[in-house]
Amino acid sequence: MSVTLNSSSGAVVISPDVVTAAQFLAADQSNATTTLATIPTFTLALGKGERMVANYYIHYNISAATADLTYRIYTVDQTTPATGVTPQFLRVVGGTLEPSGTAYTPNLGTGDVTTTVTTANTGNGFVNVRVVVVNNATTNSNLIFQFAPAGVGTDIVYAGSYVEYRRF
Protein backbone atom coordinates (compact mmCIF):
# COMPACT_ATOMS: atom_id res chain seq x y z
CA MET A 1 0.00 0.00 0.00
CA SER A 2 1.33 3.45 -0.96
CA VAL A 3 1.31 6.18 1.66
CA THR A 4 2.03 9.62 0.23
CA LEU A 5 1.62 13.27 1.11
CA ASN A 6 -0.42 15.48 -1.23
CA SER A 7 1.64 18.69 -1.15
CA SER A 8 -1.25 20.97 -2.16
CA SER A 9 -3.63 19.89 0.60
CA GLY A 10 -1.16 18.57 3.16
CA ALA A 11 -3.27 15.41 3.49
CA VAL A 12 -1.88 11.90 3.67
CA VAL A 13 -3.17 9.73 0.84
CA ILE A 14 -3.29 5.95 1.19
CA SER A 15 -3.68 4.03 -2.07
CA PRO A 16 -3.88 0.29 -2.68
CA ASP A 17 -1.12 -1.06 -4.94
CA VAL A 18 -3.54 -2.12 -7.66
CA VAL A 19 -5.13 -0.45 -10.66
CA THR A 20 -7.96 1.50 -9.11
CA ALA A 21 -10.10 2.25 -12.16
CA ALA A 22 -10.58 1.54 -15.83
CA GLN A 23 -12.72 3.25 -18.44
CA PHE A 24 -13.79 1.33 -21.55
CA LEU A 25 -14.86 2.79 -24.87
CA ALA A 26 -18.44 1.58 -25.45
CA ALA A 27 -18.71 2.42 -29.17
CA ASP A 28 -16.31 2.95 -32.06
CA GLN A 29 -15.04 6.53 -32.42
CA SER A 30 -14.18 7.68 -35.94
CA ASN A 31 -12.49 10.80 -37.25
CA ALA A 32 -12.30 11.69 -40.96
CA THR A 33 -10.64 15.11 -40.51
CA THR A 34 -7.09 16.02 -39.56
CA THR A 35 -8.48 17.97 -36.60
CA LEU A 36 -7.71 16.13 -33.37
CA ALA A 37 -10.88 14.77 -31.71
CA THR A 38 -11.18 14.16 -27.97
CA ILE A 39 -12.49 10.81 -26.74
CA PRO A 40 -14.50 11.92 -23.68
CA THR A 41 -14.39 8.43 -22.11
CA PHE A 42 -10.61 8.76 -21.84
CA THR A 43 -10.64 12.17 -20.09
CA LEU A 44 -9.27 11.79 -16.57
CA ALA A 45 -9.73 14.46 -13.88
CA LEU A 46 -6.69 15.56 -11.87
CA GLY A 47 -6.88 17.51 -8.63
CA LYS A 48 -4.34 20.10 -7.56
CA GLY A 49 -1.01 18.41 -6.91
CA GLU A 50 -2.47 14.99 -7.73
CA ARG A 51 -0.33 12.23 -9.25
CA MET A 52 -1.49 9.55 -11.66
CA VAL A 53 -0.21 6.70 -13.81
CA ALA A 54 -2.45 5.99 -16.80
CA ASN A 55 -2.17 3.22 -19.39
CA TYR A 56 -4.04 3.68 -22.67
CA TYR A 57 -4.76 0.55 -24.74
CA ILE A 58 -5.97 1.72 -28.14
CA HIS A 59 -7.07 -0.67 -30.91
CA TYR A 60 -7.48 1.32 -34.12
CA ASN A 61 -8.04 1.13 -37.87
CA ILE A 62 -6.43 3.20 -40.63
CA SER A 63 -8.58 3.39 -43.79
CA ALA A 64 -5.97 4.80 -46.20
CA ALA A 65 -2.19 4.79 -46.46
CA THR A 66 -2.21 8.58 -45.97
CA ALA A 67 -4.38 8.37 -42.83
CA ASP A 68 -1.60 7.52 -40.35
CA LEU A 69 -2.87 7.64 -36.77
CA THR A 70 -1.95 10.81 -34.91
CA TYR A 71 -2.64 10.96 -31.17
CA ARG A 72 -2.13 13.66 -28.55
CA ILE A 73 -1.96 13.50 -24.75
CA TYR A 74 -2.01 16.73 -22.78
CA THR A 75 -3.60 18.52 -19.83
CA VAL A 76 -6.19 21.32 -19.76
CA ASP A 77 -7.90 23.15 -16.93
CA GLN A 78 -11.50 22.33 -15.99
CA THR A 79 -13.01 25.60 -17.23
CA THR A 80 -15.16 26.14 -20.32
CA PRO A 81 -13.59 26.70 -22.74
CA ALA A 82 -10.63 24.75 -21.42
CA THR A 83 -7.13 26.17 -21.72
CA GLY A 84 -3.82 24.35 -21.64
CA VAL A 85 -2.22 23.67 -18.28
CA THR A 86 1.44 22.99 -17.60
CA PRO A 87 1.61 20.18 -15.06
CA GLN A 88 4.50 19.92 -12.66
CA PHE A 89 5.56 16.69 -14.39
CA LEU A 90 4.24 14.77 -17.42
CA ARG A 91 6.02 11.92 -19.19
CA VAL A 92 4.63 9.79 -22.00
CA VAL A 93 6.14 6.51 -23.21
CA GLY A 94 4.61 3.95 -25.49
CA GLY A 95 4.74 1.38 -28.20
CA THR A 96 2.72 0.56 -31.28
CA LEU A 97 2.01 -2.39 -33.50
CA GLU A 98 1.11 -0.79 -36.82
CA PRO A 99 -1.06 -2.45 -39.54
CA SER A 100 1.81 -4.24 -41.30
CA GLY A 101 2.70 -5.91 -37.99
CA THR A 102 5.84 -3.85 -37.54
CA ALA A 103 6.60 -2.78 -33.98
CA TYR A 104 7.05 0.95 -33.75
CA THR A 105 8.24 3.09 -30.87
CA PRO A 106 6.61 6.51 -31.05
CA ASN A 107 8.26 9.71 -29.94
CA LEU A 108 8.51 9.77 -26.19
CA GLY A 109 7.93 13.09 -24.63
CA THR A 110 7.11 15.50 -21.90
CA GLY A 111 4.34 18.07 -21.65
CA ASP A 112 1.94 18.29 -24.59
CA VAL A 113 2.81 15.14 -26.59
CA THR A 114 1.62 14.61 -30.18
CA THR A 115 2.80 11.50 -32.07
CA THR A 116 2.03 10.07 -35.50
CA VAL A 117 2.24 6.32 -36.15
CA THR A 118 3.73 6.35 -39.65
CA THR A 119 2.96 3.45 -41.98
CA ALA A 120 2.34 2.92 -45.67
CA ASN A 121 -0.30 0.32 -44.84
CA THR A 122 -3.98 0.23 -43.98
CA GLY A 123 -5.81 -1.94 -41.48
CA ASN A 124 -5.82 -2.55 -37.76
CA GLY A 125 -3.14 -1.55 -35.28
CA PHE A 126 -2.57 -1.25 -31.54
CA VAL A 127 -1.14 1.56 -29.40
CA ASN A 128 -0.12 1.19 -25.75
CA VAL A 129 0.78 4.46 -24.07
CA ARG A 130 1.84 4.95 -20.45
CA VAL A 131 1.51 8.39 -18.91
CA VAL A 132 2.90 9.57 -15.58
CA VAL A 133 1.60 12.97 -14.52
CA VAL A 134 1.97 15.17 -11.45
CA ASN A 135 -0.48 18.04 -11.66
CA ASN A 136 0.57 21.53 -10.61
CA ALA A 137 -0.44 22.80 -7.18
CA THR A 138 -2.77 25.56 -8.40
CA THR A 139 -5.14 24.14 -11.03
CA ASN A 140 -7.63 21.29 -11.20
CA SER A 141 -7.15 19.84 -14.68
CA ASN A 142 -8.03 17.02 -17.08
CA LEU A 143 -5.73 14.57 -18.83
CA ILE A 144 -6.96 14.40 -22.44
CA PHE A 145 -6.52 11.79 -25.21
CA GLN A 146 -7.17 12.92 -28.81
CA PHE A 147 -6.73 11.29 -32.23
CA ALA A 148 -6.99 12.08 -35.94
CA PRO A 149 -5.78 10.81 -39.31
CA ALA A 150 -2.56 12.53 -40.40
CA GLY A 151 -3.91 12.89 -43.96
CA VAL A 152 -6.86 11.96 -46.16
CA GLY A 153 -8.85 9.03 -44.79
CA THR A 154 -10.67 7.92 -41.67
CA ASP A 155 -9.21 6.59 -38.44
CA ILE A 156 -11.34 4.55 -36.06
CA VAL A 157 -10.63 3.82 -32.40
CA TYR A 158 -12.51 0.61 -31.72
CA ALA A 159 -14.96 -0.05 -28.90
CA GLY A 160 -13.24 -2.05 -26.18
CA SER A 161 -10.19 0.23 -26.20
CA TYR A 162 -9.60 1.40 -22.65
CA VAL A 163 -7.56 3.38 -20.17
CA GLU A 164 -6.64 2.07 -16.74
CA TYR A 165 -5.26 4.42 -14.16
CA ARG A 166 -4.07 4.72 -10.62
CA ARG A 167 -3.75 7.81 -8.46
CA PHE A 168 -0.83 7.73 -6.07
Side-chain angles (χ1 to χ4, degrees):
M1 188 163 298
S2 300
V3 179
T4 57
L5 179 65
N6 182 318
S7 59
S8 65
S9 68
V12 173
V13 178
I14 300 173
S15 303
D17 287 330
V18 296
V19 172
T20 54
Q23 294 177 194
F24 290 84
L25 191 59
D28 292 353
Q29 301 285 310
S30 64
N31 188 351
T33 72
T34 56
T35 303
L36 290 161
T38 299
I39 299 178
T41 302
F42 295 159
T43 297
L44 304 174
L46 292 164
K48 297 174 184 173
E50 190 167 42
R51 301 173 295 176
M52 179 186 292
V53 174
N55 285 304
Y56 290 90
Y57 299 92
I58 308 298
H59 186 206
Y60 67 92
N61 179 274
I62 296 173
S63 68
T66 57
D68 296 336
L69 177 74
T70 296
Y71 66 89
R72 178 183 185 200
I73 296 175
Y74 71 113
T75 54
V76 297
D77 65 17
Q78 294 177 350
T79 62
T80 304
T83 56
V85 169
T86 302
Q88 181 180 337
F89 180 89
L90 175 65
R91 298 292 183 270
V92 178
V93 297
T96 301
L97 186 62
E98 53 102 342
S100 70
T102 303
Y104 172 81
T105 302
N107 295 330
L108 311 179
T110 63
D112 183 337
V113 177
T114 302
T115 296
T116 299
V117 180
T118 305
T119 179
N121 299 292
T122 61
N124 296 327
F126 180 78
V127 173
N128 174 226
V129 182
R130 174 169 277 206
V131 180
V132 179
V133 60
V134 178
N135 199 19
N136 66 45
T138 58
T139 311
N140 290 326
S141 61
N142 290 322
L143 185 65
I144 305 289
F145 180 91
Q146 296 180 316
F147 79 104
V152 177
T154 301
D155 286 356
I156 300 169
V157 174
Y158 286 124
S161 296
Y162 65 100
V163 57
E164 60 183 21
Y165 59 94
R166 179 174 178 261
R167 301 174 197 284
F168 66 98

